[in-house]
Amino acid sequence: MLDMYLSGLVFVFAVSVIAASTGSSSASEPPNDDSVGTRPRRIAIIGGGISGSFCAKYLVDYDERCLLDAVDIYEPSSMNMSAALKPGVPVTDAAGSATRQTWQGSRVSSITLSDGTIVELGASIIYDGNKLAVQMLEGDSTLSAGRPFYPGKEKAKSEEGRPIKSGFGIYNGNGEWLLNTAPMWSLARKVALLWRYNVDLFRISQAASSAITSFELIYELLESNQPATFLDSPDEIWESVGLKKLSLVTFDEFLDAIGVCREVEGWRSYIPYQGCIRTELLSAASINNYNQATNQMNGLSGLVSFIPTKGKLFGVEGGNYQLIGSALKQAQSTRSSECKEKGNKKNIKHVAKEVTTVIGDLETGMELFSGEESLGNYDVVILAAPLQHCGTDFFVKSHLDGAVLQPMPVSGMIDSDEADANTHQHITPSLPSSATRPYTQVTTSVVSNGNLQSSYFNLSASAVPRSIYVSEEAWQLENVFTVTHLTSDVFKVFSQTELPETTLNAMFGPNHVLEYVKLWGGKHGGATPDFNGGGESSTSTPFLLYDGAEKTTGHGFGPALFYVNSMEASVAAVEISAIGAKAVAKLCAKRLELIPPTETARGDEL
């Protein structure tokens, strides 16, 4: 299972749910308003990835009385993130189109090559304990789960009988290898890993099992309408389930605490390789998944990288990006079937526009703009993209003079064309650093017609593993930090920056074809949050960034700005995005009275 796990990418969230909830929200009195059915309820979601599309689905699920007037998802690129990406045209900040330069798009996306090969550019594998992702998959009869890194039926058929490498290795740079399982049979690999990591592997496995047990109540919290389960921030979620402390220490400190040490004593000191799991397996996983060393990771994000080894892994056949479009489709279908008298699925739609400005007004709500074009007014805006590179300015009208715009309290974002959104010097100091630090940068390169040159890694041809990872030492020396052999001649490479042609020739031979380059980072994007070692760096923003209501408790009447990606302060993964989407949808549903006040006041038992 370690072998299968480490042949993968990157944004896997393997955790299930958690122990006991003691949320901080309190029940509120129903508002003095007899026009529940007539007050406007228009919602704009900025960002059409997992966070935005799942949030739309959950909002519609909460709207059992068909009160919503509109849910508009603003996403400049296609929500079919395979159709939007074309092979043969490298997409980087320098070479891409103007739209692609200023809008990164969803981190769950794939590309289909001319021979039918499907390559995941972002999140590649999903853990079967990810209940929200699994539920979305099962809610769409056109989708099915397949094995991780499945290249598609067309390519799989043509690959029958063609040899492909196996095993994985951890490269230490300068021609040195810490571990290489390629020459071993499958059973021999498992025995070798158990012998090499033995007690340490058991300890980290026990810690992962304990975390999974704790995580499993997150879903119960999300499903409950008990007042205490309307949690206002990710920090409250982690605190309620007993995992907040994990985010306050570095992954290295956590490993020391559970006895997974770099230096071993006693009888273990006489056995080769003891204590090396940190410099090998755990470091390689952290770098591959987050492009960060173990001392940069917090304990929660570091442990999450290991949890997929506790269950089964899968990918969506045809590309994981399909979950995004499916969530929107399921929302529209539910709306059509449940709200025939109120309206149809057009009330829930994708708008291919980039939102550049949001202006809050206590009387008219939130007005959205794309450049100079007004996109309309909304009662609630949900930001489903990282503050660091959403590219949106947030203002409010002065209560003294409506012609005067002021930075919106809390977010206070005032971008200029020249400003680097990742630096966020323009955000008010009230935001925690998790909302201002730049995301890590990763470049994904897809190569076809390649022949991995064994000499580049100082190996014989028979000893080249299917997946190559690096240690922290090699990570500091090399631009490339992951190479995955997807089919007989297709490779996916993660690197710090875009690879020059000379490097690609040296790695894959002169006949290789560079099919696609995707830069996750630069001025307007990033791959994963910079966790900065945990502690105060893991403090999250509240889900409600701005509340224009006169009443700030219970059900509000003024404009509001919610923030889904606040969940990424401590850990980032597909399931984490889904959890954030569900938590925000629940708070929003309460605010707009989609959940009847009597129900939230009565609650239920956990």
Side-chain angles (χ1 to χ4, degrees), residues 264-314:
V264 297
E265 299 177 350
W267 63 270
R268 293 182 63 201
S269 63
Y270 296 99
I271 302 177
Y273 306 117
Q274 300 307 288
C276 65
I277 192 171
R278 286 176 65 160
T279 57
E280 295 179 359
L281 199 63
L282 299 180
S283 290
S286 295
I287 292 168
N288 175 66
N289 288 353
Y290 294 102
N291 195 19
Q292 295 173 68
T294 53
N295 65 349
Q296 296 174 282
M297 305 282 287
N298 62 60
L300 184 58
S301 59
L303 188 58
V304 161
S305 292
F306 192 83
I307 290 177
T309 64
K310 307 299 294 183
K312 295 180 180 180
L313 306 177
F314 69 91

Side-chain angles (χ1 to χ4, degrees), residues 222-439:
L222 292 174
E223 291 300 325
S224 172
N225 286 334
Q226 182 181 359
T229 67
F230 287 80
L231 302 179
D232 294 328
S233 70
D235 287 344
E236 288 190 7
I237 293 177
W238 301 130
E239 187 69 37
S240 294
V241 297
L243 290 176
K244 177 60 180 173
K245 290 183 179 179
L246 272 178
S247 70
L248 299 179
V249 298
T250 68
F251 191 35
D252 277 344
E253 291 170 334
F254 168 74
L255 293 173
D256 287 338
I258 64 173
V260 180
C261 304
R262 293 182 186 273
E263 302 294 333
V264 297
E265 299 177 350
W267 63 270
R268 293 182 63 201
S269 63
Y270 296 99
I271 302 177
Y273 306 117
Q274 300 307 288
C276 65
I277 192 171
R278 286 176 65 160
T279 57
E280 295 179 359
L281 199 63
L282 299 180
S283 290
S286 295
I287 292 168
N288 175 66
N289 288 353
Y290 294 102
N291 195 19
Q292 295 173 68
T294 53
N295 65 349
Q296 296 174 282
M297 305 282 287
N298 62 60
L300 184 58
S301 59
L303 188 58
V304 161
S305 292
F306 192 83
I307 290 177
T309 64
K310 307 299 294 183
K312 295 180 180 180
L313 306 177
F314 69 91
V316 180
E317 287 195 9
N320 293 336
Y321 73 92
Q322 294 174 105
L323 286 174
I324 296 171
S326 178
L328 175 59
K329 182 176 68 173
Q330 290 181 54
Q332 292 172 334
S333 176
T334 299
R335 179 71 179 189
S336 294
S337 61
E338 302 296 329
C339 303
K340 294 179 180 179
E341 295 182 1
K342 175 79 175 184
N344 55 42
K345 66 181 182 181
K346 291 184 179 179
N347 294 91
I348 318 297
K349 64 181 185 296
H350 168 220
V351 182
K353 296 279 187 178
E354 180 176 358
V355 177
T356 57
T357 308
V358 175
I359 299 176
D361 186 302
L362 293 180
E363 295 183 359
T364 61
M366 299 277 206
E367 186 173 7
L368 274 57
F369 291 85
S370 181
E372 299 297 322
E373 178 189 0
S374 174
L375 302 174
N377 289 76
Y378 294 86
D379 304 285
V380 170
V381 173
I382 297 173
L383 180 60
L387 276 167
Q388 287 87 331
H389 48 79
C390 67
T392 305
D393 295 333
F394 293 86
F395 298 102
V396 292
K397 290 184 178 180
S398 169
H399 67 282
L400 298 176
D401 184 351
V404 176
L405 299 181
Q406 300 172 335
M408 186 176 288
V410 179
S411 61
M413 299 174 60
I414 312 174
D415 281 305
S416 68
D417 291 338
E418 293 76 28
D420 187 335
N422 266 332
T423 64
H424 257 289
Q425 298 171 351
H426 48 281
I427 293 185
T428 57
S430 59
L431 281 176
S433 64
S434 63
T436 65
R437 288 192 308 274
Y439 274 35

